Amino acid sequence: MAVSLKVNIGGLEMQNPVTTCSGTFGFGPEYAPFMDLNRLGAITVKGTTLEPRPGNAPPRLVETPAGILNSVGLENPGVDSLITTTMPYLRNFQVPVIVNIAGNSLEDYQELAARLEGVPGISALEVNISCPNVKKGGMAFGTDPCAAQDVISGVKKNTSLPVIAKLSPNVTDIVAMAQAAQAGGADALSLINTLLGMAIDIEQRKPILANIMGGLSGPAVKPVAVRMIWQVSQAVSLPIIGMGGITNWQDAVEMILAGATGVAVGTVNFINPRAAIEIIQGIEGYLEQHGYQDVNEIVGLAWKRQQG
């Protein structure tokens, strides 16, 4: 009997638990030559703002021993381009589309939600209140529980779509942030965005990134992500999309066992564009090997077993 990989992320039905991390998969067409996009659980597109953004000045990427630092700064063509160019293309596929939205102000988020309401093909909104690479908005909302609650509440008022709050790990108490998002009406959570970091060129004796600091992603952050998923999944009732350093199916299973209902594949896309497909296959194989019939059986199983 084939195992079931279907999951429900706060009202978003997915054929399997694997989506892509915003900012690592473009808007979808960039990866179509390497995989059948229909096989994904969902596509999460690059962060979208009201107006086009050029992003930060280069250099804005630095390779680290176990990941990368980036300070891209939400470069994107704006919401009008998403509606008129990206979505008509993505509607050719039978896969849910999650649109990641970012703004400088509460009003920006509200207007984005309103503009995207009713656009065919969009299945959910991921609210980015955690980007460390912009001077306004982003992480400023994601490190203040009251501000986070206000943003999520404002978005909810302007959309009928499931709302996923993408939280920052750059906080002292991730549970308090998750509870604030839940109080604002979030339907699900994404954990985690990048960790704030920096690198210095010792020959030039100055920061490598033009933006000085950037977001650390890749395998180095995975233990932080697993820990936060573990904590949050026991404290709130919202389903979680786990992300942060997933490079193979074993990493994905670890996050599911920690409490994630879904997982998002990010930085590894840059070195293995088929990683998401391989991870879907690996999760299915793991379930078969261990006698599970449904992926939902293992969500949070690591802490559930500890509790007896």
Side-chain angles (χ1 to χ4, degrees):
M1 181 178 178
V3 300
S4 173
L5 295 177
K6 293 179 181 177
V7 296
N8 185 310
I9 308 288
L12 171 65
E13 299 281 352
M14 294 167 55
Q15 63 180 337
N16 65 66
V18 179
T19 183
T20 54
C21 284
S22 176
T24 67
F25 203 74
F27 288 93
E30 298 89 340
Y31 281 77
F34 305 105
M35 68 167 72
D36 179 0
L37 298 180
N38 288 308
R39 295 185 63 187
L40 295 169
I43 295 173
T44 305
V45 300
K46 186 163 172 46
T48 297
T49 54
L50 279 176
E51 303 295 335
R53 287 195 185 189
N56 293 326
R60 52 190 193 180
L61 279 181
V62 181
E63 189 169 351
T64 69
I68 60 170
L69 278 167
N70 94 81
S71 63
V72 172
L74 294 175
E75 176 184 349
N76 79 94
V79 69
D80 287 338
S81 176
L82 177 90
I83 294 171
T84 60
T85 303
T86 301
M87 289 313 304
Y89 171 80
L90 291 177
R91 285 196 287 271
N92 293 315
F93 300 91
Q94 303 301 312
V95 60
V97 175
I98 302 170
V99 176
N100 180 290
I101 61 173
N104 293 333
S105 65
L106 171 61
E107 291 75 20
D108 283 358
Y109 286 97
Q110 290 177 305
E111 185 173 347
L112 277 163
R115 294 279 296 278
L116 295 171
E117 178 69 2
V119 175
I122 299 177
S123 299
L125 300 181
E126 182 180 61
V127 185
N128 186 349
I129 50 174
S130 47
C131 179
N133 298 320
V134 291
K135 291 182 171 57
K136 296 180 179 178
M139 201 168 68
F141 293 115
T143 54
D144 178 341
C146 293
Q149 182 174 337
D150 288 345
V151 170
I152 298 302
S153 176
V155 170
K156 283 290 292 184
K157 290 176 182 173
N158 285 3
T159 186
S160 60
L161 295 168
V163 171
I164 305 165
K166 187 169 186 177
L167 302 184
S168 171
N170 301 294
V171 296
T172 303
D173 187 350
I174 189 65
V175 169
M177 296 305 305
Q179 290 170 333
Q182 182 170 252
D187 299 290
L189 303 171
S190 287
L191 293 172
I192 58 173
N193 208 321
T194 56
L195 282 153
L196 192 61
M198 67 178 293
I200 292 174
D201 185 326
I202 63 169
E203 298 302 327
Q204 298 293 324
R205 292 169 289 282
K206 66 177 187 179
I208 297 176
L209 295 172
N211 196 50
I212 300 178
M213 298 181 193
L216 178 65
S217 64
V221 310
K222 194 197 74 177
V224 179
V226 171
R227 185 262 294 179
M228 290 188 165
I229 293 165
W230 173 281
Q231 291 177 311
V232 169
S233 64
Q234 295 178 71
V236 302
S237 58
L238 302 177
I240 296 169
I241 301 176
M243 61 189 71
I246 293 176
T247 60
N248 52 43
W249 67 262
Q250 291 92 338
D251 294 338
V253 168
E254 187 177 357
M255 288 200 182
I256 295 170
L257 290 171
T261 301
V263 292
V265 179
T267 302
V268 70
N269 289 317
F270 299 139
I271 56 175
N272 177 9
R274 285 187 45 80
I277 301 301
E278 294 172 5
I279 288 169
I280 295 168
Q281 295 168 336
I283 294 171
E284 185 174 25
Y286 174 85
L287 295 171
E288 289 173 345
Q289 179 185 352
H290 293 276
Y292 295 105
Q293 297 183 347
D294 189 318
V295 68
N296 293 286
E297 293 178 54
I298 69 167
V299 174
L301 196 57
W303 59 260
K304 290 175 182 174
R305 278 192 167 176
Q306 276 213 332
Q307 293 178 353

